[in-house]
């Protein structure tokens, strides 16, 4: 939304009338005729740009004003270049005066003129014409005209390639590849700008060109690179820098153009060896000098990243280059792997190993241990590395699964990024988490997800313990920090900080850990981490049901029933709801699991305390028992098992409906009571010997409620609903055959397909009703 002042100016610009606009054009032409431009001229140009921008239709300026604006593109003042280009991009050139791609225009090319050239290229033919003119201008020698525009030519060409790679011909590719090689390989090695050697008698005649220096101040070697420094750069040195900056994009474009040429029946020119030599010299083989400034050190890392990516592109285009590149990559990895400040360089090297490791049959184990093991363990708080590493995993997931399947064992390490900065990386883990769920990791991964808030708190403590010495009085303020430094609890925290899976499912003393981290429950980083856990649990369970392993399914069902006690602090409600939903889904897919885990489920459902402090999970466990503990779900289900389940649920229901709630708790939710009543009725309908007991209890419940309020239900409306449900069930149990059909209907009733069954009259009736309800 615009501010009130901005909206007022825009409205004024839109409402200006044509006569007033023509007067404004004439006054602006007079202002532009003056050699020294005033503030009034700048204000008028800004107003003209606003008028043209605010109006819906593109306007045509007078020819004289158009020419004056074009002249601004070559003005020494960049502000005038910006305004002139901005205005002209909002207009259409007069008929017959379109901006052409002449040598004169190209010789005056700068960033803003280039933007205008691209804006006026209205078709692919225009882009092809512009591309041809720009490439032709690269062939001119310095003596044939001004060369300053060459520095702006490559960025414009790079933009053209992005917009339309098809405008390049094979001849263009060949010519530009050769020029890039020349600029990268044969740039001069002396400083530009007439650098003086110094001294009292130094003068114009005594000035000798000084050699280019490296980042540490030493004299450069035999060639110029982007890492060379000096008091000034020559034209070819600038072109070297420009060529290096666009080389990777050019290689990708060149590859697509070459494929197009092959499809057209032409033999593409291969410049892999030349580009390899140039890029290798530009980045990887230059002296690894220590930079004197931090900015130069960052430049050095950025150039190394670009050089490695360029060689990756070269090897992707020409497989024969792989055998020449790998020794260089191995040497670079060996040189940098001990210094984690070069992590951003080591990731592209890992990408190179991943892309080409099979061709050279190299051992990549050291690379994966560093990238998957050491990086997340020690640099989990580096936001840039977290983004790059998770992006590396997402983009190469299929390749990593085949080349480095052991990466799933490092999931405790990857989750440190999530625990530290959950909002920034949660989308990455939504994509990555399914690939981490395997038969071997599923159980431990679930526990690790549940422990994520604890991990977030532990990571904070780890950093604080490093920053604050033990003797520092400021480090004594947190009990959790003292516990972190206490050898007696060291094993608990080390388990959370483990780098690889396989050392156990979860912690035996989990309640102890929760007590030690109780004060961390309100830390912002821990709170944000806990808020992402339910999201990831949904992703986890949606994936885990696809793993066809009976042992895992059995374990997950048992864990779902008891998981509420495993959750850290206050975030049990939402996560319990997620578990409850997936508990029902899992049992619906595999009903036999209820019989397999009947002992554990009955133990949980028979504990009255769970009614009050684990309501969500308890309700779903009771529903699962009543729904799937039947012969129709599993032939192993016996009368004895049904009876034991009935007695356990009957005891709980009798206890909660005949006494007041325990101190410190509220009345049980009506849903819990009605679910217990329904489960008892379902079980009784499958074993008719239990019907008298169920009917007796339901009748007593109705009698008790007639006497007025009860201690176990505080709301009168809820009590009425409970009694009504009891009466419905009591009436059904009077007819056992009907009760079983209603309470445990067969599959063809619960999933009807009558609208598709041609042997019944339903489809005919539906078609008749449809024809009646639709107007003719």
């Amino acid at each position: 939304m615009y501010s009130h002042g901005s909206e007022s100016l825009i409205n004024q610009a839109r409402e200006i009338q044509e006569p007033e606009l023509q007067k404004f054009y004439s006054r602006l032409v007079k202002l532009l005729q003056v050699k020294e431009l005033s503030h009034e001229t700048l204000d008028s140009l800004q107003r003209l740009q606003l008028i043209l921008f605010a109006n819906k239709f593109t306007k045509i300026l007078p020819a004289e004003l158009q020419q004056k604006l074009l002249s601004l593109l070559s003005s020494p003042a960049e502000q005038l270049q910006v305004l002139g280009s901005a205005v002209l991009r909002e207009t259409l050139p007069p008929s017959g005066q379109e901006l052409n791609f002449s040598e004169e225009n190209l010789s005056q090319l700068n960033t803003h003129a280039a933007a205008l050239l691209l804006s006026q290229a209205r078709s692919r033919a225009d882009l092809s014409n512009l591309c041809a003119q720009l490439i032709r201008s690269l062939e001119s020698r310095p003596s044939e005209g001004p060369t300053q525009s060459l520095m702006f030519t490559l960025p414009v060409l790079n933009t053209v390639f992005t917009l339309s790679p098809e405008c390049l011909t094979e001849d263009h590719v060949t010519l530009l590849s050769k020029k890039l090689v020349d600029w990268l390989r044969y740039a001069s090695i002396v400083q530009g700008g007439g650098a003086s050697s110094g001294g009292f008698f130094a003068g114009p005649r005594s000035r000798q060109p000084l050699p280019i220096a490296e980042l540490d101040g030493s004299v450069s070697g035999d060639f110029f690179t982007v890492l060379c420094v000096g008091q000034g750069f020559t034209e070819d040195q600038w072109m070297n820098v420009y060529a290096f900056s666009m080389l990777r994009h050019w290689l990708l474009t060149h590859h697509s153009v070459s494929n197009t040429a092959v499809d057209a029946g032409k033999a593409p020119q291969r410049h892999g060896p030349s580009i390899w030599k140039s890029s290798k010299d530009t980045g990887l083989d230059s002296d690894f000098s220590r930079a004197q400034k931090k900015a130069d050190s960052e430049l050095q890392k950025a150039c190394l990243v670009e050089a490695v990516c360029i060689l990756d592109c070269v090897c992707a285009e020409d497989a024969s280059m792989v055998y020449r590149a790998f020794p260089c990559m191995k040497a670079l990895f060996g040189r940098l792997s001990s210094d984690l400040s070069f992590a951003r360089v080591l990731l592209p090297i890992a990408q190179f190993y991943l892309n080409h490791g099979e061709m050279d049959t190299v051992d990549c184990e050291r690379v994966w241990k560093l990238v998957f093991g050491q990086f997340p363990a020690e640099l989990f708080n580096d936001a840039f590395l977290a983004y790059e590493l998770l992006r590396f995993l997402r983009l190469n997931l299929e390749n990593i699964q085949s080349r480095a399947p052991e990466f799933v064992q490092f999931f405790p390490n990857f989750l440190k990024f999530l625990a530290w900065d959950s909002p920034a990386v949660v989308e990455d883990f939504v994509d990555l988490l399914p690939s981490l769920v395997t038969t071997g990791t599923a159980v431990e991964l679930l526990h690790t997800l549940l422990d994520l808030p604890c991990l977030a708190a532990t990571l904070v403590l780890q950093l604080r313990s490093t920053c604050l010495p033990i003797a520092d009085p400021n480090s004594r303020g947190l009990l959790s920090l003292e516990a972190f430094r206490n050898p007696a609890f060291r094993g608990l925290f080390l388990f959370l900080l483990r780098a690889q899976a396989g050392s156990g499912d979860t912690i035996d003393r989990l309640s102890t850990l929760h007590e030690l981290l109780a004060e961390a429950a309100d830390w912002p980083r821990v709170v944000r981490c806990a808020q992402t856990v339910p999201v990831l649990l949904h992703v986890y369970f949606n994936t885990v049901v696809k793993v066809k392993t009976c042992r895992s399914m059995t374990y997950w069902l048992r864990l779902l029933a008891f998981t509420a006690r495993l959750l850290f602090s206050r975030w049990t409600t939402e996560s319990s709801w997620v578990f409850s939903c997936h508990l029902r889904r899992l049992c619906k897919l595999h009903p036999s699991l209820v019989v397999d885990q009947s002992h554990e489920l009955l133990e949980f459902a028979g504990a009255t305390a769970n009614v009050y402090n684990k309501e969500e999970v308890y309700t779903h466990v009771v529903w699962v028992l009543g729904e799937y503990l039947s012969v129709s779900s599993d032939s192993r289900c016996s009368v004895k098992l049904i009876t034991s389940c009935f007695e356990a649920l009957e005891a709980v229901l009798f206890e909660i409906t005949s006494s007041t709630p325990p101190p410190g708790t509220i009345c049980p939710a009506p849903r819990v009571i009605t679910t217990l009543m329904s489960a008892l009725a379902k079980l009784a309908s499958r074993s008719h010997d239990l019907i008298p007991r169920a009917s007796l209890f339901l009748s007593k419940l109705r009698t008790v409620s007639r006497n007025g309020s009860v201690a176990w239900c505080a709301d009168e409306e809820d009590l009425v609903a409970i009694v009504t449900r009891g009466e419905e069930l009591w009436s059904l149990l009077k007819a056992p055959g009907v009760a079983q059909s209603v309470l445990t209907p067969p599959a063809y009733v619960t999933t009807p397909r009558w609208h598709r069954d041609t042997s019944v009259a339903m489809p005919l009736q539906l078609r008749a009703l449809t024809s009646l309800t639709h107007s003719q």
Side-chain angles (χ1 to χ4, degrees), residues 651-688:
V652 172
L653 185 57
F654 176 79
E655 184 175 351
I656 65 177
T657 56
S658 60
S659 60
T660 59
T665 61
I666 61 176
C667 295
R671 187 178 63 155
V672 177
I673 298 175
T674 55
T675 303
L676 280 166
M677 292 162 52
S678 299
L680 288 177
K682 290 178 182 179
L683 294 171
S685 68
R686 297 166 198 159
S687 177
H688 294 177

Side-chain angles (χ1 to χ4, degrees), residues 600-617:
E600 288 80 3
L601 291 173
L602 285 177
E603 182 182 356
F604 180 82
T608 307
N610 292 333
V611 174
Y612 300 99
N613 54 26
K614 297 180 178 65
E615 173 196 327
E616 187 70 34
V617 177

Side-chain angles (χ1 to χ4, degrees), residues 22-37:
Q22 292 300 325
K23 291 180 182 179
F24 177 65
Y25 289 160
S26 301
R27 187 170 73 252
L28 186 54
V29 169
K30 293 179 181 178
L31 290 173
L32 292 174
Q33 289 174 348
V34 182
K35 290 186 177 180
E36 294 189 5
L37 301 178

Side-chain angles (χ1 to χ4, degrees), residues 318-380:
D318 190 347
S320 64
M321 296 292 106
V322 174
Y323 302 100
R324 300 175 61 182
F326 250 113
C328 185
M329 288 296 173
K330 290 177 183 177
L332 186 63
F333 177 79
R335 198 185 313 176
L336 302 181
S337 58
S338 59
D339 188 352
L340 291 184
S341 65
F342 283 92
R344 58 180 301 193
V345 183
L346 291 164
L347 269 180
I349 295 176
Q351 181 73 63
F352 187 92
Y353 272 76
L354 186 65
N355 291 344
H356 311 291
E358 283 184 348
M359 301 189 67
D360 202 57
T361 62
V362 295
D363 183 13
C364 303
E365 186 176 355
R366 285 184 58 207
V367 178
W368 307 140
K369 283 186 177 180
L370 181 71
V371 174
F372 300 151
Q374 199 170 352
F375 280 4
E378 301 186 30
L379 302 175
F380 59 86

Side-chain angles (χ1 to χ4, degrees), residues 316-527:
E317 182 181 352
D318 190 347
S320 64
M321 296 292 106
V322 174
Y323 302 100
R324 300 175 61 182
F326 250 113
C328 185
M329 288 296 173
K330 290 177 183 177
L332 186 63
F333 177 79
R335 198 185 313 176
L336 302 181
S337 58
S338 59
D339 188 352
L340 291 184
S341 65
F342 283 92
R344 58 180 301 193
V345 183
L346 291 164
L347 269 180
I349 295 176
Q351 181 73 63
F352 187 92
Y353 272 76
L354 186 65
N355 291 344
H356 311 291
E358 283 184 348
M359 301 189 67
D360 202 57
T361 62
V362 295
D363 183 13
C364 303
E365 186 176 355
R366 285 184 58 207
V367 178
W368 307 140
K369 283 186 177 180
L370 181 71
V371 174
F372 300 151
Q374 199 170 352
F375 280 4
E378 301 186 30
L379 302 175
F380 59 86
N381 58 334
D382 188 331
F384 178 83
L385 180 69
Y387 168 79
E388 289 293 328
L389 180 53
L390 294 177
R391 181 175 179 270
F392 169 77
L393 291 174
R394 285 191 297 107
L395 295 181
N396 301 280
L397 189 55
E398 186 175 348
N399 203 3
I400 291 175
Q401 287 174 326
S402 61
R403 293 288 321 284
E406 67 272 18
F407 93 101
V408 297
Q409 297 298 321
F410 290 94
F411 73 80
N413 240 9
F414 301 147
L415 290 174
K416 291 175 184 176
F417 291 128
L418 182 66
W420 181 258
D421 194 5
S422 301
V425 301
V426 65
E427 291 186 8
D428 296 294
F429 276 94
V430 168
D431 294 335
L432 282 175
L433 195 60
S435 66
L436 302 177
V437 180
T438 65
T439 303
T441 63
V443 173
E444 184 176 352
L445 177 58
L446 177 58
H447 285 289
T448 309
L449 291 176
L450 295 175
D451 294 337
L452 269 182
C454 296
L455 177 59
T458 303
L459 293 175
V460 174
L461 294 175
Q462 183 183 29
L463 287 184
R464 289 187 180 182
S465 179
T466 304
C467 299
L468 299 177
I470 297 179
D472 192 330
N474 294 328
S475 66
R476 296 287 183 180
L478 292 175
L479 296 176
S480 55
L481 186 58
E482 294 182 9
F484 181 80
R485 289 169 168 168
N486 191 334
F489 306 117
R490 191 61 178 163
L492 297 176
F493 295 105
L494 287 178
F495 178 80
L496 288 175
L497 296 172
R498 69 196 186 280
Q500 286 184 261
S503 54
D505 293 338
T506 188
I507 305 171
D508 294 334
R509 295 185 294 165
L510 198 59
S511 58
T512 303
L513 180 66
H514 290 175
E515 292 175 3
L516 297 176
L517 296 176
E519 64 182 343
D522 295 324
W523 293 355
R525 197 175 299 278
V526 178
V527 172

